[in-house]
Every structure is written in structure tokens, then in C-alpha cells.
Amino acid sequence: MSVKHTELDLEAATEQITAVYESADVTHSGEHATTVNQLTDQLPALQPRTLEAARALLSASGSFNVDKLAVEEDKGLPFGVLIAREYSLPLAVARWYTYEINADRQSAVDIDSEYFSGDLYLNGIEPGDAVAIVDDTISTGGTMIAMIKAIEKAGATVEEAHCIVEKTRKNGVDRVAEETGIEVTTSIAIEIEGNNVNVVDE
Ligand SMILES: O=P(O)(O)OC[C@H]1O[C@H](OP(=O)(O)OP(=O)(O)O)[C@H](O)[C@@H]1O
Ligand SMILES: Nc1ncnc2[nH]cnc12
């Protein structure tokens, strides 16, 4: 039985994360525009109130009435730790590198995300587990699709998936729904215009 405790109200949490994005720097590389900010890059340092706002938004997004929580390293990890602690869930972390042992080879799935194509390794998921996924951002949806594939490959099921921020123009939420049937929730929607980040209504 999971117990929710939200210390920050959701409006204040939304305002906090909105302020982070509205003052974020944007860096352009090829076709990619990346928002550099304290929430996803610890630049400037991630403030406790921002961490608490992120936790509150993720926590309110689902029931987390599951056996296990899954995140990807490294940007999903700070928030995964908070949600795992809040709901007393074991935490499985997907990594971009292999330990070259059998378990790792079996846990590999293809990933094709905004910034990376290759393999993703998710260990620690057992057959029959009911799993929730949390992450900081959804863009193309490639990371979320790889996470879902890895969990299903392990014989487990994805019950819920939540991201704090959605880069709406990349249509990741729709792509994940089409390819996996999983509806990813998001709390903040952003669009990048030149060197500005606009927080838009969902
Ligand atoms: O929807 P997508 O196109 O997959 O993009 C979203 C992913 O991109 C970021 O991770 P990043 O690739 O920067 O990896 P990191 O967390 O290891 O830094 C973010 O943390 C998401 O996991
Ligand atoms: N922090 C970030 N900013 C912009 N696009 C992203 N895609 C994935 N992470 C991102």
C-alpha cells in the first residue's frame, strides 16, 4: 500500500520548474537544441526547492502502486531516487554501458533517442514485476520506448510512465503511445525558439 505525501502544492511546483526553464540557456548542436538548466544538467547547481518541485510533480502523476521503479542514467536518476524513497520501491537503473556479463547481454535493447543510438542495458527487472518508469524529459520518445522494451523483454509489465518535461515539437508522447500503448504523463511542456525556452500550455 503506497502513501502519498506532497509537501509542495502543485501550482507552486509548476511555477518553480517553469522559472527554471524560462531562465535556461540553450545550446545548439547540428539539428539539436538543448536546454541547459539546473533540473537536467545541474548547471547551475540543482537547488533543493527545484528537486522538491520535481518530486511533487512526478509523485502526483501516478499511483506508484507497483513492484519496482525504473529510470535511465543519468538525468532520470535524481528523481528516481526521490520517488523510490517516497514509495519504498526498489530502483532499477538503465545504463548506456555494459559490464560484459551474461545478465547484462540479456538485458540489452536497441535505443534510438534524440542524442543517442545504440544499446541500453536494464538489469534488476524480474518476470512478473509491475513497473513504473520516471524520467526528467521526453523528446522523441526513443528512451521511453527502449525502457518499455527492456522491461517487457524481462517478462515484466509497464504500469505507468511519467516525465517532468515534454519537448512538444518532437511528439514523443504520441510516438510512445503508438508504438507501445503506454500513455506517458508530463507536467511541463516546452518549446525552444532560438535561444529562448517557452513554457507552453499542454
Ligand atoms: O525522448 P528522447 O529523444 O529519448 O529524449 C529524452 C532523453 O534524453 C535525455 O537523456 P540523454 O540522452 O541526455 O541521456 P542522459 O540521461 O544519460 O544524460 C533525457 O534524460 C531523456 O532520457
Ligand atoms: N535537457 C534537454 N533539453 C533539450 N532537449 C532535450 N532532450 C533531452 N534532454 C533535453
Side-chain angles (χ1 to χ4, degrees):
M1 178 72 180
S2 50
V3 178
K4 281 194 178 184
H5 54 92
T6 300
E7 281 145 23
L8 194 69
D9 78 61
L10 294 181
E11 200 176 326
T14 303
E15 279 172 16
Q16 178 66 34
I17 306 293
T18 298
V20 165
Y21 274 90
E22 286 180 342
S23 63
D25 280 326
V26 177
T27 169
H28 298 271
S29 144
E31 66 194 62
H32 303 298
T34 304
T35 65
V36 180
N37 66 83
Q38 59 166 283
L39 186 79
T40 58
D41 310 283
Q42 301 83 43
L43 202 170
L46 177 54
Q47 297 297 316
R49 64 179 180 278
T50 305
L51 204 50
E52 170 54 16
R55 183 208 61 76
L57 294 177
L58 282 175
S59 178
S61 295
S63 73
F64 296 98
N65 197 4
V66 291
D67 302 311
K68 219 163 256 176
L69 188 67
V71 298
E72 58 85 42
E73 61 133 13
D74 56 74
K75 296 190 178 86
L77 201 41
F79 316 109
V81 167
L82 292 179
I83 298 295
R85 177 70 183 84
E86 179 177 356
Y87 290 93
S88 298
L89 294 170
L91 180 62
V93 181
R95 303 194 189 282
W96 308 91
Y97 55 87
T98 173
Y99 292 103
E100 298 291 357
I101 58 172
N102 275 341
D104 226 7
R105 287 188 199 104
Q106 285 155 14
S107 76
V109 291
D110 293 338
I111 176 166
D112 185 15
S113 72
E114 185 171 13
Y115 299 117
F116 178 77
S117 292
D119 293 324
L120 186 73
Y121 304 87
L122 176 60
N123 292 294
I125 304 290
E126 309 294 334
D129 278 347
V131 182
I133 304 171
V134 297
D135 205 355
D136 63 322
T137 308
I138 183 164
S139 179
T140 66
T143 302
M144 194 55 84
I145 289 169
M147 292 290 290
I148 293 166
K149 279 194 326 200
I151 290 163
E152 292 178 348
K153 186 178 174 188
T157 54
V158 177
E159 300 297 328
E160 23 182 302
H162 313 289
C163 293
I164 304 161
V165 173
E166 173 184 358
K167 230 170 142 180
T168 49
R169 288 182 182 157
K170 297 285 183 174
N171 294 325
V173 171
D174 291 344
R175 187 178 156 217
V176 176
E178 278 159 25
E179 291 193 24
T180 71
I182 303 291
E183 297 288 340
V184 180
T185 73
T186 63
S187 299
I188 305 276
I190 63 164
E191 289 176 359
I192 301 171
E193 293 284 358
N195 287 328
N196 294 321
V197 187
N198 299 323
V199 175
V200 295
D201 288 336
E202 290 201 89

